[in-house]
Amino acid sequence: MVIVNEYGDLLYKSKTDSRKNGIVFAILGILAFVGANFIYAKAMLIIIGVIFLLIGLYLLLFKRHESISIYTHAIVLNLREKKIVKKEDIEHITYEKVKTRKSPVASYYPVLGLKNGDRVLINVAFNDVINKDFEAVIKSYL
């Protein structure tokens, strides 16, 4: 006996980008603490390290539950509360381009345009290098 989910088959499941940012901030905070031992002005670097570490811990502890699941009939966003966007409620999907100064590759974030006029940002980036499976699923979704 096969158990079928009420939203259809699972096409994609992932955590959002906030977890990666939390890890980066925590590592920068730890490096600032270690680097403070090697310079003369220790207090300033320790303060910067504490700030980075607190931001990283906030992102890891309070935003770690943010995830996305794409099913054949709905997209489930687990942010602070669970948000379900049914496929028939989506009018179109647009992509917001984000290009950083140091990266030669631009990243795109999908934005769901709903029939009631609302917009829902999906916090998972894709480009030519990362998240190719997410790109294939989201572009073929409608």
Side-chain angles (χ1 to χ4, degrees):
M1 180 174 164
V2 177
I3 298 173
V4 179
N5 190 343
E6 63 183 297
Y7 306 123
D9 295 330
L10 180 65
L11 300 175
Y12 181 82
K13 184 171 184 157
S14 174
K15 300 281 185 191
T16 59
D17 287 346
S18 61
R19 183 178 178 116
K20 296 173 195 166
N21 295 339
I23 292 171
V24 168
F25 274 109
I27 289 173
L28 286 175
I30 292 169
L31 288 176
F33 277 132
V34 172
N37 292 325
F38 300 109
I39 65 170
Y40 183 71
K42 292 181 181 184
M44 186 62 169
L45 201 55
I46 288 175
I47 292 171
I48 292 171
V50 167
I51 292 171
F52 279 161
L53 195 56
L54 289 175
I55 291 171
L57 289 176
Y58 168 76
L59 291 174
L60 285 173
L61 295 177
F62 296 109
K63 291 198 167 195
R64 70 176 177 181
H65 299 293
E66 292 187 0
S67 65
I68 178 174
S69 300
I70 300 176
Y71 295 95
T72 53
H73 302 298
I75 296 176
V76 178
L77 301 168
N78 288 324
L79 304 174
R80 286 181 176 78
E81 67 277 346
K82 192 173 192 178
K83 182 170 185 170
I84 300 167
V85 180
K86 295 189 178 182
K87 189 173 186 176
E88 59 264 8
D89 294 338
I90 301 172
E91 185 175 357
H92 63 278
I93 299 175
T94 59
Y95 307 100
E96 289 189 8
K97 183 177 180 180
V98 178
K99 186 168 179 0
T100 59
R101 277 189 281 152
K102 296 183 180 181
S103 175
V105 179
S107 294
Y108 298 92
Y109 287 91
V111 178
L112 305 176
L114 304 181
K115 291 181 180 175
N116 63 2
D118 290 342
R119 295 179 54 182
V120 178
L121 173 71
I122 298 177
N123 193 13
V124 179
F126 64 88
N127 59 29
D128 293 337
V129 180
I130 59 170
N131 291 335
K132 296 299 286 177
D133 52 344
F134 174 70
E135 177 184 8
V137 168
I138 201 70
K139 285 190 174 181
S140 67
Y141 192 67
L142 292 180

